Amino acid sequence: MLKGKTALVTGSTSGIGLGIAKALAQQGANVVLNGFGDVEGPRAEVQAAGRAHGAKVAYHGADMSRVADIEDMVAYSVRNFGQVDILVNNAGIQHVAPIEDFAPERWDAVIAINLSSAFHATRLVLPSMQAADNGKGWGRIINVASVHGLVGSAQKSAYVAAKHGLVGLTKVCALENATTGITCNAICPGWVLTPLVQKQVDAKAADQGISVADATKQLLAEKEPSLQFTTPEELGALAVFFCSPAGANVRGVAWNMDGGWAAQ
Ligand code: NAD
């Protein structure tokens, strides 16, 4: 379905971004990966996912807190594949502390990586998306927000502010391009068992002197009525739907996949 398209997925060396990158490659899209840590493992996984369609995989190590890096990454993607058709703004970090103890530099980092990076990547890819399809425009921008883009939780001021901001940016981008073939939507996961959440489970286990298994059960029970993690594969399938012809008039939604968290 996405053969010949190119997807740039930020923060895709791990977790949700990697799941979405694989799902898009399975549909034939070329993928530009981004993120820290091991690159060769994730690259091989995405290559394997896209092999049947000959999808190509590239990587750029932009630090998403740095505007110049983001500019370089978009230019690199265009140099490699000619165009960015699908942008998935996924890179994100977490920091947990009450507001009065929240280190200002952690606030700045969370806002830069979880919110401002999406603005920069979006403004850089939009002109060529708007010119696509003989000026009618074609593109898909998918912002990985969070259920914390819809509701708050204590100790997560920067994260909740960034994710609510990302949902707002999603709506504005969708509206500004509403008469074109460019859609912009947000995905709002509940708990997904990735390294970002594993750190929070481990901290809970250490704080309360309980096992990691019990901390995991408690974490889910506090917020997620299904008592189940959402998976990167499920989120990848939702991203594929947004990219499909059936998703052409889905504009500006914040779609939660959260086991009922925000329904409470
Ligand atoms: P993760 O830690 O597994 O992956 C984060 C990715 O972002 C990694 O590839 C990492 O290298 C990259 N990254 C971090 N800082 C970066 C930077 N400065 N520049 C470039 N890349 C950077 O986390 P995840 O759980 O897969 O989170 C992905 C997104 O999903 C985040 O935006 C997160 O807020 C969101 N999210 C996660 C959950 C969850 O429960 N895990 C729930 C809702 C939303």
Side-chain angles (χ1 to χ4, degrees), residues 87-136:
L87 170 65
V88 183
N89 289 308
N90 166 79
I93 58 168
Q94 178 61 281
H95 183 71
V96 180
I99 294 171
E100 64 275 19
D101 297 335
F102 213 96
E105 57 278 11
R106 297 317 299 157
W107 170 276
D108 288 346
V110 172
I111 299 296
I113 296 165
N114 296 21
L115 176 58
S116 302
S117 74
F119 160 70
H120 292 297
T122 300
R123 74 175 170 80
L124 292 163
V125 301
L126 267 176
S128 62
M129 285 184 177
Q130 287 161 346
D133 198 13
N134 294 318
K136 284 188 278 179

Side-chain angles (χ1 to χ4, degrees), residues 6-12 21 29-34 46 56-61 73-74 76-78 80-81 83-84 86 88:
T6 294
L8 168 58
V9 187
T10 71
S12 46
N30 297 322
V31 175
V32 182
L33 296 172
N34 157 260
V46 179
K56 296 192 187 70
V57 182
Y59 166 80
H60 191 284
M73 177 181 67
V74 171
Y76 166 86
S77 305
V78 172
N80 258 268
F81 295 123
Q83 165 90 2
V84 175
I86 299 165
V88 183

Side-chain angles (χ1 to χ4, degrees), residues 11 13-14 16 36 62-64 90 113 145 159 163 189-190 192 194-195 197:
T13 50
S14 169
I16 295 169
F36 299 149
D63 177 339
M64 297 303 291
N90 166 79
I113 296 165
Y159 189 86
K163 295 299 189 180
V192 186
T194 64
V197 165

